[in-house]
Amino acid sequence: MKKYVVLFIGVVLVAFIISCVIFMGDHELDLNSKEVTTLYSYLGEVDVYHCGGLNQYTKEEVTYDDISTNNKLCQAYYATNKDNIENRKSNTTTTNDQDIDICEVGDNIRLAALEGENTCSYQIISEDDLNKAYHNVYGTDIPKEDNTSFNITATKSCYLEEGEYYCGDAENYTWTLRPEATIYRLPAKATKKMNGDIVITDYYLRISENKCYSSNNVDSEITACSKILKDNPDTTINSEFVQEYGTLYEHTFKKNSSGTNYWYSSNLK
């Protein structure tokens, strides 16, 4: 009888351990869930003029310090709750040396009107709301020395004055010519770890001038992929092609004290 009791206890313990592994261990998340899609958006957009493009796909490991101040603030702007962004319009008040019509808003901020228009459309975001978004994306507050102004597109910028950011068409900006490229990303898997971290893996492929690259750097050509495109100019770039020739990246989102996750690092898998 004693032998059966010991056996029963052993079975119960094994079942308990298995249950713990199942319910407390790593588990896969739905790639289409709001949590995963929100975290994935923190990585940026394929447009190189949108916060510098996909800054996390540049080398073997990228962390907070590798992203420029401007691009981090820009990413926080796009992560700001739209209900906290106020849209405004102002009439033009003067013209600059380049004959661009200017709207003077706030106390010392000048925004440009679009050609042929006599008003400027712009947005106002509180410093606190932008900082909340920044904290959501990067897990820390905006450094005070970095919070004065930043670009959000090739022609639009945000300027801080009296606790508010005024975001609109900049009076002066510089175009940077870059080779045209088409970037493909294919989310592969999202996993929630025992420690609360969320890890998203995806395939990345950049095609520029009919050549394939595994990162944003020009020295990362995927020669086998480039040969396929050279030999077969009409090749269809679909999910199977991206899986075949794309490079797998792993993005880690750490859990903060409030229970939400922020982007921590990205690296080649």
Side-chain angles (χ1 to χ4, degrees):
M1 184 68 178
K2 184 177 180 181
K3 181 173 67 173
Y4 291 112
V5 171
V6 172
L7 180 61
F8 175 76
I9 294 174
V11 171
V12 171
L13 285 174
V14 170
F16 176 74
I17 292 171
I18 292 174
S19 298
C20 287
V21 171
I22 293 174
F23 293 105
M24 297 178 62
D26 299 350
H27 63 275
E28 196 167 336
L29 301 175
D30 181 0
L31 286 172
N32 296 315
S33 67
K34 183 178 180 181
E35 180 179 36
V36 173
T37 55
T38 297
L39 293 177
Y40 198 60
S41 72
Y42 293 168
L43 301 176
E45 299 290 338
V46 297
D47 182 358
V48 295
Y49 298 108
H50 177 111
C51 306
L54 298 168
N55 301 288
Q56 284 84 349
Y57 302 80
T58 55
K59 59 181 184 178
E60 289 194 359
E61 183 177 31
V62 179
T63 61
Y64 175 87
D65 292 333
D66 296 311
I67 309 295
S68 73
T69 296
N70 184 89
N71 288 338
K72 283 184 286 202
L73 289 168
C74 176
Q75 197 59 44
Y77 164 85
Y78 286 104
T80 300
N81 188 321
K82 299 301 180 286
D83 293 336
N84 296 329
I85 299 177
E86 181 183 351
N87 294 297
R88 286 190 187 178
K89 276 190 175 184
S90 289
N91 293 323
T92 55
T93 54
T94 187
T95 304
N96 67 10
D97 294 338
Q98 291 78 43
D99 290 328
I100 296 174
D101 291 327
I102 299 297
C103 300
E104 297 168 304
V105 299
D107 291 330
N108 297 292
I109 295 173
R110 292 161 61 94
L111 299 174
L114 296 179
E115 187 175 355
E117 297 187 7
N118 59 4
T119 61
C120 299
S121 298
Y122 60 98
Q123 298 172 318
I124 291 183
I125 306 172
S126 75
E127 186 177 4
D128 287 342
D129 285 331
L130 188 74
N131 187 66
K132 287 176 185 176
Y134 190 97
H135 200 282
N136 286 340
V137 178
Y138 298 110
T140 188
D141 292 337
I142 301 172
K144 287 299 180 185
E145 65 273 17
D146 295 338
N147 68 347
T148 53
S149 65
F150 58 95
N151 304 319
I152 53 175
T153 70
T155 60
K156 293 180 182 290
S157 298
C158 294
Y159 306 93
L160 178 64
E161 184 178 88
E162 299 296 326
E164 292 182 320
Y165 285 94
Y166 294 75
C167 303
D169 290 285
E171 181 178 4
N172 300 298
Y173 56 87
T174 302
W175 276 101
T176 301
L177 295 178
R178 308 187 190 189
E180 284 194 17
T182 302
I183 295 173
Y184 300 89
R185 286 194 301 165
L186 181 65
K189 187 178 181 180
T191 305
K192 190 161 191 175
K193 301 291 186 179
M194 284 185 66
N195 62 358
D197 291 355
I198 291 177
V199 176
I200 300 175
T201 56
D202 66 346
Y203 291 94
Y204 172 96
L205 179 64
R206 181 170 66 91
I207 298 178
S208 179
E209 298 178 337
N210 222 35
K211 292 182 179 180
C212 304
Y213 299 91
S214 63
S215 74
N216 290 332
N217 300 325
V218 295
D219 58 352
S220 62
E221 185 180 354
I222 306 170
T223 54
C225 177
S226 297
K227 186 176 186 306
I228 292 291
L229 297 183
K230 181 180 178 181
D231 295 342
N232 304 279
D234 296 327
T235 298
T236 299
I237 312 299
N238 52 24
S239 58
E240 288 77 15
F241 188 93
V242 176
Q243 280 185 300
E244 176 76 20
Y245 295 103
T247 300
L248 200 60
Y249 280 81
E250 184 176 79
H251 312 280
T252 300
F253 299 83
K254 289 283 185 184
K255 189 175 183 179
N256 61 28
S257 57
S258 64
T260 58
N261 291 76
Y262 63 93
W263 175 77
Y264 178 77
S265 67
S266 294
N267 58 273
L268 290 166
K269 185 170 172 59

